[in-house]
Amino acid sequence: MRSLLLHCALLTSTFALWPQPKQFEHGSSTLWLSPNVKLVHTSRTAPSQPLEWLWTTVEKVIFFPHNGITPTKGQVSSETLLQSAFERMKHNVLNHSFVPRKFHARDVQFEPATDDSKRYIEQLAIEEDPRNDLADTERLDKSEAYAIEVSEDGSAVIKIASPAGGLHALETFAQLFFAHSTPNAGFYTPYAPLTVKDRPAFGHRGLNLDISRNWIPPADVMRTIEAMASNKLNRLHIHATDAQSWPLEIPALPDLALKGAYSPSQIWHTEDLEAVQRHGTNYGVQVFVEIDLPGHTTSIGNAYPHLVTAKDMPWPEYALEPPSGQLRLNSSEVPPFIETLLTDLLSRTSKHSSLFHLGGDELNLNAYLLDPTVNSASHQILQPLVQAFIDHVISLATSYCLTVIMWEEMVIDWNLTLPKNVIIQTWRGSDDNALTSILNKGYRTLFGSNAHWYLDCGHGSFIDPESANPDSPVKPPYLDYCGPYKNWRHMYAYNPVAHIPQSQRHLVVGGEAHLWGELTDSVNLDGMLWPRVAAAAEVMWSAPGKKPDESTTRRLADMRERLVMRGVGAGVVQMEWCLRHEGGCRL
């Protein structure tokens, strides 16, 4: 049986799964999914036990090691979560599967017969048992691992150790099916019998989405979450505020959004944020918020000008992009403001997430020459003030049992002393040096270099040339700072751990692709994200270090078709002629 599966896998490699699983063995028999397929869920956990959602074993052991205490988060029963995911899977197969004709030459018969010999999958069993042997013995966590077994006679079983694995398994299961071109013929998989065994390479597989520079409504973020789940991404990092606008409602400080948002119609109200976080929970995506501090805070000054220095000064001298302004570092009024802000926000978000991102990037030293509480741009003078500010924010976040993430500058540029459970996010250059520097200090880290995973790069500058300045640096061809465009193959080939020794790789908890919002809004959001984020997703799920080839292209093109069928405006992966003529576009 095993040799047959391996042999057939080589013969029928046109279609496969995305992200690529650790093991996928299959035959070439056809099974059809019954429109009335039922879920049978069995669990060895107590049926009344609530699911502390998205708090994996890793998070419990590493993020909160003291006294074994784990705070209560937004809870939903395992049975409810998996039943909902099963219904989504069924809906997606029966309503959003596609006819894969563009993957075959014209007039080639690629579909199975629709006669009375059809064999159906009538039932899908999910066996949930924390003792299921689904991960390497040396790995601490197996909560996202899963196995799928489908026999030639239509028996289908998923084995998981936790509901997180079940969500991933159901996404994989949906990818096994295609629509038949004959109306009402049904939906089939050509892969029976099959075995899938799978688990992620990294625990944090994320997307950083900027909703502050241009308006991104909650509904678009919910659609993004659904696409992320299809690609087994599990962290959505919402860059919620910046110098340009403050779209996030803070009831304790109502003027922040009322005066800081672009308009009253461009505000995320508290119920919007909660709905997005709950939507993420239902799809297996933990949604967490970044409030970038103490820089990138000009928009606070629209409501509280006495808290901000260098507001609306000539920005090239006082900021990396307009408008200038950042929080004062030595004002007695800033700490209580920060406490009010974070007490309001984190008391709400901590019900749904174990993470909080405090920012910490791109502090402009010149701005503090204009800060009457500092009157200096000296790094030596500013460093202890930055340390005290960050310590205060960390203490507030940890009071809600949140793990703090911050940008690399706080360690590399400011040499702050931080708790070892803080996660440092790298972003500058190839990030080999940043990763190495941070790991050598013993911190955990996230990768996502702007040279590889910045989705906004290569679209040109948003800065206009000054017509009165003949020496303006803004000149043809009007490039942005981080070009060229990061195409999906470039993103797929990114290997952030290539030079990291095995002894330190356990500190690399994962990564994020980044979409900054200067040139992105609701209209072009999907095309800016997909299919490139899917390429990053496979790197984080299946492990980095692989080069893209034709089979990669065809698998990603398959995923793109599925995203489009689900209402996501994903960009083209490959010319149709190349997909119809396998081998015809190699060089």
Side-chain angles (χ1 to χ4, degrees):
M1 171 71 168
R2 181 175 175 84
S3 60
L4 171 64
L5 288 171
L6 289 171
H7 176 66
C8 290
L10 293 174
L11 292 177
T12 59
S13 62
T14 299
F15 301 108
L17 302 172
W18 192 280
Q20 191 171 54
K22 292 290 182 289
Q23 180 183 339
F24 178 31
E25 299 172 353
H26 63 86
S28 57
S29 296
T30 299
L31 287 174
W32 301 76
L33 188 69
S34 169
N36 300 312
V37 61
K38 305 297 183 184
L39 171 67
V40 177
H41 172 223
T42 58
S43 175
R44 289 187 177 271
T45 60
S48 61
Q49 180 179 358
L51 171 68
E52 292 174 343
W53 179 236
L54 295 180
W55 289 62
T56 65
T57 304
V58 170
E59 288 171 319
K60 290 178 180 178
V61 173
I62 295 179
F63 291 5
F64 300 98
H66 305 299
N67 305 319
I69 296 173
T70 302
T72 300
K73 297 289 154 179
Q75 295 178 340
V76 60
S77 74
S78 172
E79 183 176 358
T80 299
L81 189 77
L82 291 173
Q83 183 66 46
S84 176
F86 170 78
E87 295 299 335
R88 286 200 305 271
M89 179 279 296
K90 183 177 173 181
H91 176 81
N92 284 331
V93 172
L94 300 181
N95 295 278
H96 298 318
S97 293
F98 72 102
V99 177
R101 56 172 56 91
K102 69 168 57 175
F103 291 85
H104 301 275
R106 184 173 177 175
D107 299 326
V108 168
Q109 175 55 43
F110 60 88
E111 294 181 302
T114 59
D115 54 30
D116 294 337
S117 64
K118 284 184 182 180
R119 288 171 295 172
Y120 285 90
I121 297 174
E122 304 279 359
Q123 175 179 293
L124 177 58
I126 296 183
E127 299 175 359
E128 181 184 353
D129 187 343
R131 298 170 297 180
N132 275 335
D133 183 19
L134 298 170
D136 295 347
T137 55
E138 72 270 14
R139 285 174 55 88
L140 176 64
D141 176 46
K142 62 180 181 181
S143 65
E144 294 187 274
Y146 67 91
I148 303 174
E149 293 277 352
V150 178
S151 67
E152 203 161 0
D153 64 5
S155 171
V157 179
I158 290 172
K159 294 183 178 181
I160 58 175
S162 82
L167 297 186
H168 298 319
L170 288 165
E171 289 289 350
T172 297
F173 192 79
Q175 285 186 46
L176 296 169
F177 292 88
F178 301 93
H180 200 284
S181 61
T182 302
N184 302 316
F187 306 88
Y188 68 93
T189 178
Y191 299 133
L194 66 90
T195 298
V196 179
K197 294 182 178 179
D198 205 7
R199 57 173 172 76
F202 296 99
H204 185 122
R205 306 179 305 282
L207 167 66
N208 169 27
L209 180 61
D210 177 4
I211 66 167
S212 62
R213 288 183 170 91
N214 277 306
W215 171 242
I216 305 291
D220 290 335
V221 178
M222 290 183 182
R223 185 179 65 255
T224 298
I225 286 170
E226 294 167 13
M228 290 174 66
S230 298
N231 288 274
K232 299 182 175 63
L233 293 166
N234 67 348
R235 300 289 187 270
L236 177 58
H237 163 186
I238 295 182
H239 183 83
T241 63
D242 214 291
Q244 293 78 16
S245 84
W246 186 286
L248 202 62
E249 180 187 31
I250 305 295
L253 299 164
D255 282 349
L256 268 178
L258 290 174
K259 296 182 179 180
Y262 287 131
S263 77
S265 65
Q266 293 171 294
I267 294 175
W268 276 48
H269 296 284
T270 56
E271 58 268 27
D272 295 323
L273 179 57
E274 181 173 19
V276 167
Q277 287 195 291
R278 287 189 179 276
H279 197 67
T281 293
N282 290 333
Y283 279 81
V285 178
Q286 184 179 154
V287 179
F288 65 96
V289 172
E290 176 187 356
I291 303 295
D292 203 348
L293 301 167
H296 292 269
T297 46
T298 317
S299 57
I300 292 174
N302 294 326
Y304 303 97
H306 58 289
L307 301 180
V308 172
T309 185
K311 185 177 186 301
D312 298 328
M313 296 297 291
W315 69 266
E317 185 176 352
Y318 295 103
L320 283 180
E321 66 178 49
S324 67
Q326 50 200 41
L327 283 174
R328 296 183 179 186
L329 278 181
N330 203 25
S331 167
S332 61
E333 296 178 279
V334 168
F337 168 83
I338 293 296
E339 184 161 354
T340 301
L341 165 63
L342 295 184
T343 298
D344 182 309
L345 178 66
L346 301 184
S347 66
R348 293 182 282 113
T349 63
S350 61
K351 297 174 183 177
H352 307 283
S353 173
S354 61
L355 303 170
F356 171 64
H357 202 305
L358 65 73
D361 62 322
E362 298 178 335
L363 265 182
N364 183 283
L365 274 63
N366 288 337
Y368 292 109
L369 288 169
L370 306 180
D371 180 352
T373 70
V374 177
N375 293 312
S376 176
S378 165
H379 193 282
Q380 185 177 1
I381 291 173
L382 292 172
Q383 199 275 348
L385 299 175
V386 174
Q387 178 77 66
F389 182 95
I390 296 299
D391 286 347
H392 183 217
V393 175
I394 290 174
S395 70
L396 291 169
T398 54
S399 72
Y400 289 95
C401 299
L402 294 172
T403 294
V404 171
I405 305 175
M406 66 183 72
W407 297 108
E408 66 180 55
E409 287 96 320
M410 291 292 99
V411 171
I412 295 175
D413 298 354
W414 291 94
N415 195 31
L416 299 191
T417 301
L418 304 169
K420 291 304 182 189
N421 69 335
V422 167
I423 298 174
I424 307 301
Q425 185 161 24
T426 61
W427 67 276
R428 292 182 293 188
S430 67
D431 81 6
D432 287 350
N433 292 335
L435 280 171
T436 299
S437 175
I438 290 163
L439 293 172
N440 286 343
K441 293 177 181 288
Y443 295 109
R444 292 177 297 147
T445 187
L446 295 171
F447 53 79
S449 157
N450 64 3
H452 297 273
W453 279 9
Y454 266 35
L455 298 158
D456 55 304
C457 294
H459 290 272
S461 175
F462 67 93
I463 301 297
D464 290 315
E466 174 56 67
S467 57
N469 179 11
D471 298 319
S472 171
V474 184
K475 58 186 65 176
Y478 305 107
L479 301 177
D480 54 46
Y481 84 98
C482 58
Y485 178 84
K486 316 307 180 195
N487 64 68
W488 74 259
R489 289 182 179 86
H490 178 73
M491 294 184 67
Y492 188 87
Y494 175 44
N495 186 357
V497 297
H499 305 295
I500 303 301
Q502 287 292 336
S503 61
Q504 292 183 324
R505 289 197 180 185
H506 68 285
L507 294 172
V508 182
V509 298
E512 292 180 358
H514 304 271
L515 181 55
W516 300 110
E518 287 88 348
L519 296 176
T520 298
D521 66 8
S522 183
V523 175
N524 67 338
L525 175 65
D526 286 1
M528 292 288 282
L529 292 171
W530 310 103
R532 292 185 293 160
V533 174
E538 179 154 303
V539 172
M540 291 183 279
W541 179 273
S542 304
K546 297 181 292 184
K547 301 297 182 185
D549 57 18
E550 186 177 19
S551 67
T552 316
T553 301
R554 296 178 72 80
R555 286 190 303 107
L556 184 56
D558 180 299
M559 169 54 74
R560 186 262 179 174
E561 295 302 310
R562 296 181 187 277
L563 291 174
V564 170
M565 291 299 294
R566 296 185 188 188
V568 176
V572 172
V573 172
Q574 180 59 292
M575 180 168 58
E576 186 169 337
W577 189 93
C578 300
L579 296 176
R580 286 183 177 271
H581 298 83
E582 189 169 2
C585 293
R586 299 175 191 162
L587 183 63

